[in-house]
Every structure is written in structure tokens, then in C-alpha cells.
Amino acid sequence: MLYNILIDPFVQMGAAPDLFVQTIWEGLVAGVLYALIALGFVLIFKASGVFNFAQGIMVVFAALTLVGLHEKGVPAWAALILTLGVMAILAIAVERVVLRPLVNQPDIILFMATFGLTFIIIGLGEFIFGGEPKQMIAEELGLPQGTMRFDILGGKVLIQKIDVAAAVIASLMIAALALFFQYTRIGRALRAVADSHKAALSVGISLNQIWAIVWFAAGIVALITGIMWGARSDVSFALQVIALKALPVLILGGFTSIPGAIVGGLIIGIGEKLAEFYWGPLVGGGIENWVAYVIALLFLMVRPQGLFGDKIIERI
């Protein structure tokens, strides 16, 4: 039995290379989207030192807002612009109501505040849009539909056009945000805030302004993520469970690293697809739901600060 679990998957990979390529592609798409979700967590953590538990539900709320506005007769692109406005208002509200009163409080207080914010947003979303799954307006937004077939290694590989669009858009979004925060004045201010709040304040950087900008950027990331995931399935509150896959991604890549979010996302996305396809049938299936957390747990034992995280040395 143990021999079958260890060896059979590798035999299958060699016997059907086209299925292996198919699995790698699906894992790549999932990994890029996981990286995009993780990027929202990284931005907020870098600016405030807070793990934003509400980032997952922000993905759902942004997608629900977009679909809900369209259902009320607003054209798709107008609904997209209005949804960006809603996420901007949400960012300012969070900064004013949640973050500003809790400045200099222990980290656990800020974390619990975002935990409570999650359920507030869930209640608000259910009150406004209802709890039923909704269909993403992918076609109205110009996202491609249909399937492409490729002859690879003697077999057929099927690729959904929406997956190609998702991978490209998510990659461009990650690259744009990375360049923005690396080379702009706001980006330099963010890095200063991440290094030291007191030092940033001493040179005239407004923490409140940076936090609002970062939360808005996280809202944009949530909207793009919600559109891509919603186009591949439905828009429902179940998406927040997918969004929490960012936790093992962050553990692998590091909580403050944008490159780490990318690498961690790809490792988790490809790893869980390979595990589900090749090892899932041997252990009863459903492995995709939990293997990411096993990978993260094993990684914590070896390098708890993540691949791109800095080692923290405390002198006693």
C-alpha cells in the first residue's frame, strides 16, 4: 500500500504526460490567483503589522457588489467603476472606524478587530444582496469564454479561455502593484511605515493616509480576485474559504514579501493540484482541501519566517 502511494503517481505522470501538463496548468492558474489574494494580505501587513482576516470576505463583497449593481440595471463597466468607489469608501471607513482608534494597541486587538469586521461585512452583504450564489458577469466585462485544445506530448490538453485571462490579468495586477509600491512616492512611504511607524511619522508621513491607500489597494485586489474566481465558478460566500488559502501561501513566502506571495502561491497552487490528481484517489480524495495546510505546517518547522521573510533575532 505504501509502495503504491509513493510510486504509482510518478508512474502515471510518465505514462500520461498530457494529463501531467493539464494538471500543472490548472495548478498554475490557481497559484497565480492565490498569489493575488495573498498580495492583499501582504500590503496591509506591511503597512500596519496587522493580519487582515477580513481580506477573504472583501473578495466576496467586491464581487457581490459588482454583480448586484449589474442586476439593478447598471451597465457592466459602470458597475465596475462604481464598485471601485464602494471599495474606496470601505477602505476609508475601516481606517477611520477600526484602525485609527486602535493605533498602538497590541497586535491581537487589531487582528480581532479585522475578525469582527469579517462578520460585519458578511451581514452587510447578506442584507443587501442576499445569501444565494450569483453568476459573475464575465461575458459582459469582455472576458473570453470557451475552450482551447492543444496537442501536447501525444495527447489533448484542454485550456479554458477564462483561465488564460485570469492568469494574465492577475499577473499584470501583481506586477503593476509591485512596481507602484517599489518606485513611487507612496510606495517609498509604505516601506518607511513598514520599517517603523515612529520614524515615518518623524519625517512627515501620514499613517492614516497610507493605511487608507493600502486598504483601497487591497480592495482593488479583492475585486479583481472576486471577478476571476467568480467567473470560474459562482459568486457566493463560499469564496472566502478559497481566499483563506492565502494563509499557507503567506507562510511559505513570508508575510511582508511581494515576491514571496508569488512564489508561495505557485507552490501551493501547483502542489495541491498534483496532490489531488495523483495522490487523492489513493487516500480517499478531497486532498486538495487540506494539503496546502500540511505543506505550510511542514514549512513552519524548517523556516518559520518564510522563503523571503527576514529572520527575527531577539536578544535577551
Side-chain angles (χ1 to χ4, degrees):
M1 178 66 178
L2 180 60
Y3 177 84
N4 291 338
I5 293 176
L6 294 176
I7 302 301
D8 278 2
F10 296 102
V11 174
Q12 294 178 44
M13 291 178 193
D18 56 323
L19 292 179
F20 177 71
V21 172
Q22 179 87 55
T23 305
I24 290 292
W25 165 252
E26 292 177 1
L28 179 67
V29 175
V32 171
L33 291 175
Y34 289 154
L36 186 59
I37 299 171
L39 184 60
F41 287 93
V42 167
L43 292 176
I44 291 176
F45 191 84
K46 281 175 70 70
S48 60
V50 178
F51 178 78
N52 176 29
F53 191 82
Q55 184 66 21
I57 197 60
M58 285 172 66
V59 170
V60 181
F61 185 78
L64 282 175
T65 302
L66 175 63
V67 176
L69 288 171
H70 185 66
E71 287 181 347
K72 295 183 182 302
V74 180
W77 288 102
L80 181 63
I81 294 171
L82 288 174
T83 302
L84 287 173
V86 170
M87 299 312 291
I89 293 171
L90 178 63
I92 295 171
V94 168
E95 188 277 318
R96 292 286 177 89
V97 178
V98 178
L99 289 179
R100 189 178 296 188
L102 296 178
V103 172
N104 297 325
Q105 294 297 315
D107 292 343
I108 187 61
I109 299 296
L110 287 163
F111 170 75
M112 291 306 297
T114 67
F115 190 82
L117 181 64
T118 298
F119 292 96
I120 292 173
I121 295 176
I122 289 175
L124 181 63
E126 290 181 339
F127 175 74
I128 298 174
F129 306 110
E132 302 81 13
K134 300 180 185 297
Q135 190 170 2
M136 177 52 65
I137 52 174
E139 194 169 353
E140 290 85 345
L141 291 172
L143 297 175
Q145 306 295 306
T147 303
M148 298 182 293
R149 291 173 176 266
F150 296 94
D151 294 323
I152 297 178
L153 301 174
K156 298 285 187 183
V157 175
L158 304 178
I159 295 180
Q160 300 291 330
K161 292 181 180 179
I162 187 64
D163 286 350
V164 177
V168 171
I169 292 172
S171 299
L172 291 175
M173 184 75 182
I174 292 171
L177 284 173
L179 292 173
F180 178 78
F181 285 106
Q182 183 68 30
Y183 296 108
T184 65
R185 182 181 62 84
I186 294 175
R188 291 191 291 271
L190 170 62
R191 295 199 301 276
V193 170
D195 289 337
S196 171
H197 287 181
K198 291 182 180 179
L201 286 170
S202 69
V203 295
I205 296 174
S206 170
L207 290 182
N208 298 330
Q209 184 184 43
I210 292 296
W211 284 343
I213 291 171
V214 167
W215 274 81
F216 178 50
I220 295 174
V221 169
L223 174 58
I224 300 300
T225 307
I227 292 173
M228 295 299 112
W229 275 114
R232 301 174 82 228
S233 56
D234 288 326
V235 180
S236 69
F237 287 97
L239 280 179
Q240 66 176 316
V241 177
I242 297 174
L244 287 179
K245 284 284 184 72
L247 181 56
V249 171
L250 292 168
I251 291 173
L252 263 67
F255 279 78
T256 60
S257 172
I258 292 177
I262 299 169
V263 174
L266 294 177
I267 292 174
I268 293 298
I270 294 173
E272 69 178 15
K273 293 298 181 184
L274 289 174
E276 176 66 26
F277 189 80
Y278 290 105
W279 280 271
L282 300 176
V283 297
I287 192 173
E288 186 176 359
N289 296 325
W290 51 264
V291 71
Y293 301 97
V294 174
I295 295 172
L297 180 61
L298 294 173
F299 206 86
L300 278 172
M301 298 177 182
V302 179
R303 190 176 171 84
Q305 72 273 17
L307 285 170
F308 294 83
D310 298 324
K311 278 191 175 183
I312 298 175
I313 300 175
E314 294 185 358
R315 301 188 184 278
I316 300 175

